[in-house]
Amino acid sequence: MKAIFMGTPEFAIPSFEALYESDFEIALVVTQPDRPKGRGKKLSSPPVKLVALEHDIEVFQPERIKDREAIEKIKRVKPDLIIVVAFGQILPKEILELPRYGCINVHASLLPKYRGAAPINFAIINGEKKTGVTTMYMEEGLDTGDMLLKNEVEITPEDTASTLHDKLAIAGKKTLSDTLKAIINTELLPEKQDDSISSYAPIMTKELGKINWDRSAEAISNLVRGTDPWPSAYTLYDSAVLKLFAPVVLDKQSKEKPGTIVAVSSEGIDIASADYIVRIKEIQISGKKRMPVGEFLKGNVLEIGKVLGYE
């Protein structure tokens, strides 16, 4: 039985491994074109392309999967199954209806929650205690297809979008592996999504990272962690953008105006919020690398009482 794998970033690699280790033969890998990257703007290959070439699997990189040439390329393979994981393009109906076992997507949320582009980030930003991975049949709607299998993943107070990404990528491999076995054994029981309890996780923007210190300490911590490493939470310091990382909510309160620095030490910068104090343990100023506050303080003096985020 032949399968096509469609995916692009690091997140998709464990799922690629699940398909590679299954009873399906990967006849083709479809991924995004090579793109310029870094200061030198050198062409960089998608991670999925690199792992496919390591396994001597043909790679196809269409600019637009909806182009006639791309559709015909897929049709010539005559796939029994198509697996899609963070591919980055919307599939046309003609491809969705092609394989006899359907097109199956590995999505990084517990559907119907957090459909859309940034489910990992918004699960943290919105203060969820758990998230997970869902496999589902793909249809023309955005992440609206029938659900197949799920795996839950705990969100800890220390998790960032980066660490949760890695946990969910691993969970994705297991979820897809179990889904593929269920396909072979005709054990799948698709479940329709309840649209009334669905939510949407839009594309991340830099503007989303601006901190409102009038919010609760927990909400601020969630924003900082959910935007780490990109686009990063930020505030203003002497009119310069100061990016903040590694927050800790202290069991302390302050009568100072939200956004006021109430203490500074090598442990971090303590800032008042609407309720409790938020300690920021890592920061980054434009043009410099991200660093622990203790290292930053060696060359910078912060005045106690300086108000951040207010002009």
Side-chain angles (χ1 to χ4, degrees), residues 11 15 83-86 104-108 133-136 172 175-176:
F11 182 84
S15 293
I83 299 297
V84 182
V85 188
I104 293 178
N105 177 236
V106 179
H107 184 74
V133 172
T134 305
T135 51
M136 66 172 178
T175 312
L176 180 58

Side-chain angles (χ1 to χ4, degrees), residues 103-284:
C103 291
I104 293 178
N105 177 236
V106 179
H107 184 74
S109 81
L110 297 175
L111 290 170
K113 269 196 169 183
Y114 301 113
R115 298 169 177 172
I120 299 174
N121 304 85
F122 278 96
I124 297 177
I125 291 170
N126 290 342
E128 302 288 352
K129 303 304 179 186
K130 67 178 180 180
T131 184
V133 172
T134 305
T135 51
M136 66 172 178
Y137 283 126
M138 297 179 69
E139 57 181 31
E140 290 187 273
L142 180 63
D143 302 327
T144 57
D146 290 355
M147 301 177 293
L148 302 174
L149 297 180
K150 296 183 182 182
N151 266 327
E152 291 187 358
V153 172
E154 177 189 5
I155 301 177
T156 71
E158 294 78 31
D159 268 325
T160 64
S162 178
T163 62
L164 188 57
H165 166 283
D166 294 348
K167 291 181 182 179
L168 290 171
I170 294 170
K173 178 176 182 177
K174 177 175 177 15
T175 312
L176 180 58
S177 180
D178 291 344
T179 301
L180 295 171
K181 291 174 184 175
I183 289 174
I184 298 297
N185 297 324
T186 63
E187 295 173 345
L188 282 179
L189 297 172
E191 177 187 356
K192 289 194 176 298
Q193 296 190 42
D194 184 348
D195 293 340
S196 68
I197 60 171
S198 68
S199 57
Y200 181 63
I203 293 173
M204 300 292 286
T205 64
K206 289 184 178 180
E207 293 73 21
L208 178 68
K210 186 173 183 179
I211 296 173
N212 177 0
W213 294 103
D214 288 316
R215 300 191 69 194
S216 71
E218 182 177 5
I220 292 168
S221 173
N222 292 342
L223 178 66
V224 174
R225 295 184 299 112
T227 55
D228 180 358
W230 196 91
S232 305
Y234 69 92
T235 190
L236 300 179
Y237 176 67
D238 284 345
S239 299
V241 172
L242 183 66
K243 294 183 177 180
L244 310 181
F245 306 93
V248 177
V249 176
L250 303 182
D251 189 19
K252 297 179 181 179
Q253 294 181 307
S254 172
K255 295 181 180 179
E256 298 292 340
K257 181 180 178 181
T260 301
I261 295 176
V262 296
V264 179
S265 71
S266 60
E267 296 297 314
I269 303 172
D270 296 351
I271 306 172
S273 72
D275 50 19
Y276 293 95
I277 292 172
V278 181
R279 174 169 291 172
I280 300 299
K281 299 171 68 176
E282 296 180 19
I283 58 178
Q284 181 179 9

